[in-house]
Amino acid sequence: MPEPVAVHGLLVVGAAGYWWQDAESGARLLRGDASGVREVALPEAPDGLTVLAVHPAGTGPAAVLYGRPGGDYGYLTEAGAPDRVLARRPALVRLPRVPSATGGPAGPGFVYTGFPPDARLEDPPVDGIRVAVHRSGEPFAHDRPVPLGDAPDALVTLEATADPDAVLVKSTARGVTAHRLLRLAPGSGRPTVTALPAASSPRTRLVLGAHRWWRGEALGTPRAVLYALPPGETDPSAGEPVAFPDGAAPAWFWGTRQGVVVRAVVAGGTEALYRIDGAGSEPRLVAGGAPGDSFPEVTAAPDADRALWLRVGRLPDGGTAGHVEQLLDGTTAPRTLRALPWPASAPRTTRFCAAGDGHRLPVRLSGTAGPVLLLEHGGLTALANAPLERALEDLARAGRLTLARAATRSLVPAHRVPSGERGYNDLLHAARHLREHTGPDRPLFVLGHSMGAVGAARAVLLEPGLFDGWILRFPVTDLVGFPALGIGRYWTALLGDPSRPEQRAALAALSPLHLPLPAGPLPPVLIQTGTHDTRADARHGRRLAERLRGQAAVTLSGYPVGHVERFCQAASRRAVAEVTAFILDRAAFAPDRAAVARDPEGASP
């Protein structure tokens, strides 16, 4: 079978589409348009840095993001030599015309998030500390800072809109996402900020398309609704719901100049893409509908009527194939830009179990044999962990592993939940369900990444007998002392403030480093940390490893990576290989649970 590839970072600029393609041999940036697909030459990275992302321009040089190998933060530059603007998970939106700050003509530029121009590498990178407007070809010292009206929020992201002079600014703090429309005055370039309705759920989305706003609620759930607001209206109560075909629920959507592109999940879990044009509100199917089709990556051009996506479809022989496709302005059917080798799909099923508060918790299974691995990503998606996801799916396809993903709810902050479990024990309920339905003979492991390590470690510490091993990757373990670890002092608005007694007690009740250890032995544990991890400081993992020694066989490993891995990095591949070896080796020596159940007194500890 051809070497499978990973596609990510889809971007539309004008009539062209761009995407990254990762393989064992490395990553490359591809450009696809009416003339075909070709590789984009990238500038040589400065010493010690690597290219993390490229934001092409219709004309002129691209904006290149360089960073450390882990990819958590980087330098933003246009000319191939890093400026001193440092940003962590920087957001960037291209604009076709930005007035010059030095008296020259208006020209292309961008709005971005990051640090002031005099920031240094050793300064702690903080999301959303600054939103600024930059004119291409001018020094970053001439950037226009944009005051948002409040203190910097914990998370700030930017999105392009169908208005070439406007950018949507989203900032999250204390569980609420504020929406602001940043608009540049055509003559002076003076930025103005207009507040829009806020959202209290990450499944709420506000998009500008076809000269009006579209609002999605409960996206990705069976209760999802997309509202079309009248032109000029931003009040969500004024919207009219869009009627999708029976069984179709919007999962996400993107605005264009002439409408919106909507990804929906239809009956049986099949995905489809719809387009709503002009001033109407009738969705029209443009791609999908075939059993087994999925669209893991989709994007649209806000300043035109173009969309780009990766379609993965099932073949008659049971395998799968990938195609990068583009919908052009004025066309009714997408055309293929590039076909991709794609690994065969693994058998997938979904089970449901009841959480402690009655919540119906879905558990999605890939594969049908081998040990069972319960996976919790925390705040990151499978795409952010592409190297690990691919390796685990390969094991599932080979019949050597069953991969279980539980759609758990937020773990923190505990102090803002007046009653009920919410999501604190969701992973534990999923593990009990898996043990009951897969039987006592199959080893059960749990893996937590980042904040997902909180749920994974909590499940093992509360009920160690359920598990045959646990893996914590780049974990957060100390919810009491996190303000003193790395950039943790900027997380208090998001997680809670341990200096306040009532919040400290709630955080301590969740923190793996502060939970009481069980009286008996714990299953073997693998803890991985990243040298360049700016989000989950390596001391989180090291301190928990030290606490567990004596009650568990502890393997502590450090790698020169960041919080998010990249498949083309040798260190990432080594870290993933250690995880798969840990699971397979421990599964081979897991105790015979059926024998233990029959003769608990004769079983070895």
Side-chain angles (χ1 to χ4, degrees):
M1 187 179 69
E3 179 188 33
V5 299
V7 174
H8 59 91
L10 293 179
L11 182 68
V12 177
V13 178
Y18 295 81
W19 62 91
W20 288 93
Q21 180 172 293
D22 283 357
E24 286 277 1
S25 56
R28 56 183 184 155
L29 182 69
L30 300 179
R31 182 185 194 273
D33 55 24
S35 64
V37 176
R38 60 183 182 273
E39 186 171 356
V40 177
L42 297 177
E44 183 176 351
D47 291 343
L49 301 180
T50 185
V51 175
L52 303 181
V54 178
H55 298 266
T59 58
V64 181
L65 177 66
Y66 298 98
R68 296 296 179 184
D72 278 348
Y73 53 88
Y75 291 95
L76 202 57
T77 181
E78 284 197 299
D83 196 271
R84 295 187 64 82
V85 176
L86 178 67
R88 174 172 166 262
R89 284 195 301 172
L92 185 152
V93 171
R94 277 279 181 186
L95 296 176
R97 54 181 181 272
V98 174
S100 171
T102 60
F110 52 84
V111 179
Y112 71 98
T113 60
F115 268 17
D118 58 351
R120 301 167 300 171
L121 181 62
E122 57 267 26
D123 291 335
V126 182
D127 289 313
I129 196 170
R130 184 172 185 256
V131 173
V133 181
H134 178 73
R135 164 68 166 81
S136 297
E138 296 183 351
F140 279 109
H142 295 290
D143 290 358
R144 300 166 179 82
V146 180
L148 298 181
D150 301 316
D153 292 326
L155 298 168
V156 173
T157 58
L158 305 174
E159 287 189 18
T161 73
D163 184 339
D165 297 314
V167 175
L168 184 63
V169 182
K170 301 195 298 185
S171 57
T172 301
R174 300 174 178 85
V176 175
T177 299
H179 295 88
R180 302 175 179 93
L181 188 65
L182 190 163
R183 188 184 302 276
L184 296 184
S188 65
R190 183 188 180 104
T192 60
V193 176
T194 305
L196 300 171
S200 58
S201 166
R203 298 185 184 276
T204 298
R205 181 166 170 78
L206 191 66
V207 163
L208 181 63
H211 308 293
R212 59 174 170 166
W213 289 98
W214 305 77
R215 186 177 178 88
E217 300 282 354
L219 295 171
T221 74
R223 305 184 308 277
V225 181
L226 176 63
Y227 294 95
L229 279 63
E233 182 63 69
T234 60
D235 184 357
S237 63
E240 292 290 334
V242 175
F244 283 87
D246 290 344
W252 207 249
F253 60 100
W254 298 261
T256 70
R257 186 174 57 191
Q258 297 186 12
V260 291
V261 174
V262 183
R263 179 168 64 190
V265 179
V266 298
T270 298
E271 295 183 13
L273 294 182
Y274 292 87
R275 183 167 68 179
I276 306 174
D277 293 325
S281 58
E282 181 179 353
R284 177 163 53 88
L285 182 68
V286 294
D293 279 3
S294 65
F295 299 89
E297 283 281 300
V298 184
T299 190
D303 59 347
D305 189 21
R306 295 178 175 88
L308 179 70
W309 57 75
L310 168 66
R311 180 207 298 258
V312 178
R314 192 180 301 276
L315 301 175
D317 61 1
T320 53
H323 295 86
V324 177
E325 298 178 336
Q326 188 175 45
L327 185 69
L328 297 177
D329 190 10
T331 62
T332 58
R335 64 184 179 91
T336 299
L337 292 181
R338 187 180 185 90
L340 302 166
W342 204 259
S345 58
R348 296 189 178 186
T349 58
T350 300
R351 298 180 181 272
F352 293 89
C353 65
D357 58 358
H359 173 72
R360 194 166 182 253
L361 181 67
V363 182
R364 300 179 178 90
L365 303 177
S366 295
T368 58
V372 181
L373 174 64
L374 179 57
L375 186 64
E376 172 61 89
H377 275 306
L380 293 176
T381 64
L383 180 64
N385 294 271
L388 176 65
E389 287 286 316
R390 188 186 306 175
L392 296 176
E393 288 285 355
D394 284 345
L395 290 177
R397 277 186 288 272
R400 304 178 66 191
L401 177 72
T402 295
L403 182 60
R405 300 177 177 90
T408 59
R409 293 165 289 173
S410 177
L411 288 167
V412 291
H415 61 279
R416 289 197 288 275
V417 180
S419 62
E421 283 196 354
R422 201 169 81 171
Y424 307 138
N425 290 325
D426 278 359
L427 211 64
L428 182 57
H429 289 293
R432 291 170 179 165
H433 179 83
L434 289 171
R435 176 59 74 198
E436 177 182 352
H437 286 84
T438 59
D441 297 331
R442 297 177 65 183
L444 176 62
F445 297 84
V446 63
L447 185 152
H449 182 287
S450 187
M451 281 312 287
V454 175
R458 178 180 173 82
V460 174
L461 294 177
L462 291 179
E463 206 161 328
L466 272 179
F467 303 96
D468 297 284
W470 44 317
I471 303 135
L472 306 180
R473 306 192 78 223
F474 318 114
V476 175
T477 67
D478 188 356
L479 294 179
V480 175
F482 72 83
L485 298 178
I487 65 170
R489 61 185 179 278
Y490 298 101
W491 295 357
T492 53
L494 186 66
L495 303 182
D497 188 352
S499 66
R500 301 174 61 178
E502 72 281 4
Q503 296 186 17
R504 181 185 182 92
L507 291 171
L510 295 178
S511 175
L513 197 66
H514 296 84
L515 279 171
L517 295 179
L522 290 164
V525 58
L526 167 63
I527 301 176
Q528 294 182 331
T529 62
T531 306
H532 302 296
D533 193 339
T534 61
R535 303 181 203 176
D537 191 284
R539 286 171 288 183
H540 280 279
R542 292 199 296 264
R543 290 178 182 178
L544 182 62
E546 188 62 32
R547 187 181 185 220
L548 296 177
R549 295 188 194 279
Q551 281 192 261
V554 178
T555 302
L556 175 65
S557 302
Y559 290 90
V561 299
H563 203 61
V564 175
E565 295 176 295
R566 295 180 181 275
F567 190 74
C568 56
Q569 294 174 1
S572 290
R573 295 200 294 272
R574 292 197 305 270
V576 169
E578 184 182 37
V579 171
T580 56
F582 179 88
I583 295 170
L584 298 178
D585 291 347
R586 296 295 177 180
F589 294 98
D592 187 340
R593 291 182 175 274
V596 172
R598 292 191 299 268
D599 185 15
E601 294 185 0
S604 58

